[in-house]
Amino acid sequence: MTSLQRRLAALHYDVGPIDGVFGPSTHHGVVAFQKVNSLVRDGIVGPKTWAALARPLIPKPKYTHSGYSVEANLTKQVLYLARQGSVVRILDASSGKASTPTPTGNYKTQRRIDGWRQSSLGLLWRPNYFYYGYAVHGATSVPTYPASHGCVRVTVPAMNRLWSIVGVGTPVHIYR
């Protein structure tokens, strides 16, 4: 198990601590890898996923900034943390469903809340607002498909790992 976690971490997938346990963070790291490599998004490391791990697709950010930036690839349903033209972390994400789409465009984090925020549409963990009430935030449910009311969801542990890196003023790019 640690070899899988080490391989995913070397490819910049967010798997949490390398501890030999196939827990939720490793599962979401596998799903993010499957999304980027256009595999079935089931979180199961079968022959096709192992083969792709040997010859993975390496994503590149669309935008370059001197510091950190966040990119949400809505087609792949992943979030990239980028720095100086390189993807440094890849996270499993779920964006807005068809009836409540995530707005595309180029933004900056305008404000953030360190903790749970009860909105009219649900609970948001450590939201980083980039456009009005739209935020990148942690959630207890991050399905493999677009399911939110327009925000970009990542897992609560993933948001905890991002929190000290992303701040007010961080560029946020949302695209298909």
Side-chain angles (χ1 to χ4, degrees), residues 101-170:
T102 302
T104 57
N106 301 313
Y107 310 100
K108 287 188 178 195
T109 301
Q110 299 169 347
R111 66 186 178 97
R112 353 175 341 163
I113 296 171
D114 188 4
W116 287 105
R117 160 84 164 82
Q118 177 67 60
S119 79
S120 60
L121 301 174
L123 275 173
L124 292 67
W125 175 246
R126 289 183 151 176
N128 286 265
Y129 294 94
F130 58 87
Y131 178 72
Y132 295 101
Y134 294 94
V136 173
H137 67 82
T140 55
S141 171
V142 181
T144 59
Y145 51 88
S148 82
H149 292 98
C151 287
V152 178
R153 297 181 193 171
V154 298
T155 67
V156 167
M159 180 50 70
N160 287 343
R161 289 186 288 271
L162 277 181
W163 184 254
S164 65
I165 300 168
V166 176
V168 171
T170 300

Side-chain angles (χ1 to χ4, degrees), residues 4 8-9 12-16 22-37 43 45 49 53 78 90-92 155 161:
L4 170 65
L8 288 167
H12 305 292
Y13 287 89
D14 184 64
V15 294
F22 194 98
S25 290
T26 301
H27 170 82
H28 283 282
V30 168
V31 169
F33 176 81
Q34 291 171 330
K35 289 175 173 184
V36 168
N37 287 272
V45 187
T49 299
L53 281 163
V78 292
I90 305 165
L91 298 94
D92 187 17
T155 67
R161 289 186 288 271

Side-chain angles (χ1 to χ4, degrees), residues 65-70 81-84 88 165-166 170-171:
H65 297 277
S66 57
Y68 286 103
S69 63
V70 171
L81 176 66
R83 186 171 187 210
Q84 299 174 343
V88 295
I165 300 168
V166 176
T170 300

Side-chain angles (χ1 to χ4, degrees), residues 52-85:
L53 281 163
R55 292 179 170 265
L57 211 139
I58 307 294
K60 296 194 181 327
K62 283 193 172 194
Y63 302 88
T64 299
H65 297 277
S66 57
Y68 286 103
S69 63
V70 171
E71 296 189 14
N73 181 326
L74 302 183
T75 301
K76 296 280 187 184
Q77 290 291 291
V78 292
L79 188 81
Y80 302 134
L81 176 66
R83 186 171 187 210
Q84 299 174 343

